Every structure is written in C-alpha cells, then in structure tokens.
C-alpha cells in the first residue's frame, strides 16, 4: 500500500510531494495531470508536433495521463480526437512520449471507445455508432466539422462481436507500448462504451453481458485481463466514474454495482484505480463543481488495495488533505494543469496560478494550449 495517512507532515502541501509507486513507475510527486480533451490532433487522429510541446511542458507532473485516445475509427467521438490504431498515430505519439521522457517525466495513454457517444459521420462507411443496447444518448454531439448534431440511436453490439472488441482494446495497448508510453489507463468512465455496459440505464441486454452486476462488468474485466496479459499488471490501470451522469448514464444501484467492480479490479492488483468525483460531472461544460453529490473516494477507497487517484474539483489544499487523510494516494488537477504547465512548482512555493481560459480550451492551435506561461524558475521536478 502507498498510503501516507497519519504520517507526520509539517506542511499539509508536503503530502503532495511524497514519492509514490504506481505499478512499474515511481512518481516524484502525487500531482497528476488527468486526461483532458483538447481537440488538437489531425483530422486523421494523428498527434501533431504541437502536442509534443504541450505535454513536454507539463513533464513535472508526477504522472501525465493523455487525453482520451480512440482505439479504432469506430471508437471516435469528437473532432480532431487522437487515435492509436494507425502507424501514423503511433509515430505521432512517439514524439510526445519522447518529449516527456526527455524532461524526466512519465506518461500514460488513456484509451477509449465512445460507443453511443459517437455518430455515423465519424465512420467512413456511414455506419451507426455501437452500444450495448439500441438506446440513444440524450442531447447533441459535435460532428467532425465542429457543427452540432443530435445523437443517433446506436446499433446494439452482437455478442459475437465482443471478442473482437476486446482484441481491439488489447491492440491499442500494445500500440501504446510501441509508442513509448509507460502505462495504459482504460477509460471505463464518463458515459463511454465500457461505462455504457456497466450501467443498467444504458445496458438492457439479456445475454452474458447484461442483466446482473456480474454480467454488466464482464466486458470491462475481459478488457482489463486481456491488456494486463499483454503489457503487465504494473502498466495497466482503470478509470471509473461512479454516480456520474455524463452521457445520460444512470444505474439503479451504483453503490453495490461499482463496489463489485472495484473489488474485482482490486483482486487483479492493477497499477492504480482512477476515480472521478461526481461533483465534476459538468467538467468540460462549466467551471464550477457541485458539492451536493456522493464522495467516491470516501465510498470506495477501502475496496481497492492498490493506489487510488482521485479527480474532480480539487484545489491544492483539498487535494493535499485527501492524500494526507488516506482518501487517495494522488490527486488529478485538470483545468489547473491546462493553465499552469509548471503546476507542481507553483503549488510547492505557493505561487499564484494562471487563470484557465475556457474559450480556447477546445480546438485551435497554440493559443490556450502551449502559450500559458511558466514561472521563470518553474518546470523542474
């Protein structure tokens, strides 16, 4: 266990600067850069040179987790989203990992399939998006040209297609290793495909992948086991969002359901579990975070025996308190890392933070991406 709960700490912020082992990696601090949608890849999902600059600037994070990256053409869900299924994409990501490693950092690829949170416009053959059941997500989606269109009713995946889907996740993880990543985080959160299978509001199946809690967790666990067998448990992690409502997802019993999932993941001794707090369900939509919601770190921490990363609406002090109290082993800071490439240094010395500019967060080029200034003495580990 990597907890430092009840350890003597002269300064609460020091809790964020204790080293931490996450699987095969040793982190110099517990300040995590989580996956952040930025929409800066090419139309074909190839990371561009500016992304190597962006991630390299933030290499002082204890760990960088990349923006969600599609495992296949079918897995895409927003414009200029990067992928990890072509040779060109792998090469683009290799430039990113090289930039981070050259500055002494560590970087994980988050892999995802968007499922029903996609559109036929993303598929060259015009085929419908896929999901556990033919239930449309509510609301609208951005098309590849950044126009807004309504979600479509997806096609329910046939059970015979699921082994191939698992293999696609496994190939994405192997490609990530080829691209030089230190680990892979499987995105089982935020209303995307694996989360759609987990929750009974979106999964109405009657086969071995629907109905009971055990059945709805089956696909995620098959993906986890397959990837871990390929790249090792020490390089395999999962992100979950119990009680979250992104993508219109609901579950009739989120406590027992996610308790079962988290205990199953704990038995597998993954590198870490990444929990999103439901107060941050509006992330990407608004800058505020609801306080009237469940506390996933408090509810589920005791069920997972390995390291836990918590994310969602934290400031430096509240994050340090979560670590020092044992609620989590590390804390992810999203918008703060977008606006402050040298965030650990600023937290360490108590320096003012750059203000996050939502208007430049998605799409575009350098503005709001690589032009946030670091302090003159910042950027160190």
């Amino acid at each position: 266990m990597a907890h430092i709960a009840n350890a003597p700490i002269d300064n609460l912020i020091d809790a964020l600067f204790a080293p931490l082992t996450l699987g095969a990696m040793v982190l110099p601090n517990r300040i995590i850069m989580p996956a952040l949608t930025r929409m800066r890849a090419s139309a074909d999902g190839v990371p561009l040179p500016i992304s190597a600059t962006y991630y390299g600037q933030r290499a002082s994070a204890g760990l960088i987790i990349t923006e969600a990256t599609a495992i296949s053409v079918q897995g895409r869900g927003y414009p200029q989203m990067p992928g990890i299924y072509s040779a060109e994409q792998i090469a683009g990501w290799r430039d990113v990992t090289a930039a981070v490693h050259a500055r002494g950092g560590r970087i994980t690829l988050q892999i995802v399939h968007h499922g029903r949170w996609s559109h036929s416009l993303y598929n060259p053959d015009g085929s419908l998006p896929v999901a556990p059941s033919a239930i449309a997500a509510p609301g609208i989606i951005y098309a590849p040209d950044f126009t807004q269109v309504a979600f479509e009713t997806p096609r329910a995946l046939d059970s015979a297609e699921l082994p191939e889907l698992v293999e696609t996740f496994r190939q994405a993880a192997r490609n990530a290793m080829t691209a030089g990543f230190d680990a892979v985080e499987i995105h089982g959160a935020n209303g995307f495909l694996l989360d759609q299978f987990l929750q009974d509001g979106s999964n109405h199946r009657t086969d071995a992948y629907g109905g009971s809690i055990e059945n709805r967790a089956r696909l995620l666990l098959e993906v986890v086991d397959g990837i871990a067998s390929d790249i090792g448990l020490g390089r395999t992690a999962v992100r979950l969002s119990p009680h979250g409502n992104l993508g219109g997802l609901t579950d009739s019993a989120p406590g027992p359901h996610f308790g079962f999932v988290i205990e199953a993941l704990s038995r597998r001794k993954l590198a870490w579990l990444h929990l999103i707090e439901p107060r941050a369900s509006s992330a990407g939509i608004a800058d505020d975070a609801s306080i009237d919601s469940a506390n996933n770190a408090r509810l589920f921490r005791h069920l997972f025996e390995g390291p836990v990363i918590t994310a969602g609406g934290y400031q430096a002090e509240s994050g340090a308190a979560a670590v020092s109290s044992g609620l989590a082993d590390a804390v992810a800071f999203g918008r703060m890392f977008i606006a402050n490439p040298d965030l650990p240094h600023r937290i360490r010395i108590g320096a003012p933070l750059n203000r996050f500019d939502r208007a430049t967060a998605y799409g575009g080029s350098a503005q709001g991406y690589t032009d946030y200034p670091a302090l003159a003495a910042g950027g160190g580990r």
Side-chain angles (χ1 to χ4, degrees), residues 186-188 194 197-198 209 216-225 238-240 261 265:
I186 301 162
H187 202 339
L194 294 177
F197 268 87
L198 287 176
Y209 294 86
R216 284 181 280 130
R218 189 182 307 275
L219 182 62
L220 171 65
L221 296 178
E222 287 180 351
V223 168
V224 169
D225 290 342
V238 171
R239 193 182 210 202
L240 297 175
V261 174
L265 295 174

Side-chain angles (χ1 to χ4, degrees), residues 36-40 146 283-285 356-364:
L36 297 159
T37 299
R38 304 310 311 272
M39 298 180 180
R40 256 76 170 193
F146 284 86
I285 302 169
F356 169 66
D357 178 16
R358 179 167 295 282
T360 59
Y362 305 111

Side-chain angles (χ1 to χ4, degrees), residues 103-316:
R103 298 189 65 176
R106 297 136 301 277
I107 184 166
T108 291
L109 185 70
Q110 187 185 85
I111 57 174
V112 70
H113 190 302
H114 272 66
R116 74 180 192 178
W117 201 339
S118 186
H119 197 277
S120 59
L121 291 171
Y122 284 99
N123 295 328
D125 61 0
S127 59
L128 287 170
V130 297
S133 302
I135 303 170
I140 56 175
I141 182 177
Y142 280 96
D145 63 358
F146 284 86
T147 59
Q148 293 181 322
V149 295
F151 281 107
E152 300 168 302
T153 300
R155 176 180 67 81
L157 283 159
D158 189 272
S159 58
E161 297 177 272
L162 297 182
E164 182 179 356
L165 179 63
V166 172
E167 173 55 31
T168 303
F169 270 99
R170 294 177 66 173
Q171 184 62 57
R174 295 192 293 267
N175 290 348
M177 295 297 101
T178 300
F181 284 97
D182 298 299
V184 165
E185 184 176 270
I186 301 162
H187 202 339
N190 287 358
F192 301 138
L193 183 63
L194 294 177
D195 201 15
Q196 292 160 29
F197 268 87
L198 287 176
Q199 303 209 47
D200 58 16
S202 52
N203 184 344
H204 292 183
R205 301 175 72 93
T206 57
D207 62 3
Y209 294 86
S212 69
I213 289 174
E214 294 82 358
N215 283 357
R216 284 181 280 130
R218 189 182 307 275
L219 182 62
L220 171 65
L221 296 178
E222 287 180 351
V223 168
V224 169
D225 290 342
I227 287 176
S229 70
D230 290 338
I231 69 173
L233 286 165
R235 300 188 186 278
T236 305
V238 171
R239 193 182 210 202
L240 297 175
S241 55
H243 302 99
N245 57 17
L246 280 173
L249 291 199
T250 60
D251 192 86
S252 60
H257 178 94
F258 281 96
F260 171 85
V261 174
I262 290 168
E263 286 186 310
L265 295 174
S266 179
R267 290 193 296 272
R268 285 160 169 80
K269 302 188 183 305
L270 298 181
W272 69 87
L273 174 66
H274 190 171
L275 291 175
I276 306 173
E277 290 297 340
R279 63 173 177 257
S281 283
S282 62
I285 302 169
D287 290 326
D288 58 342
S290 169
I291 60 172
D292 185 21
S293 56
N295 185 315
N296 284 332
R298 193 173 301 280
L299 288 170
F300 298 111
R301 175 68 189 96
H302 69 286
L303 299 178
F304 190 80
E305 294 187 1
V308 169
I309 298 172
T310 181
Y314 286 99
Q315 300 298 316

Side-chain angles (χ1 to χ4, degrees), residues 28-52:
N29 64 65
R30 298 169 184 239
I31 300 170
I32 309 300
M33 178 178 170
L36 297 159
T37 299
R38 304 310 311 272
M39 298 180 180
R40 256 76 170 193
S42 75
D44 295 325
V46 177
L48 300 175
I50 195 171
S51 291

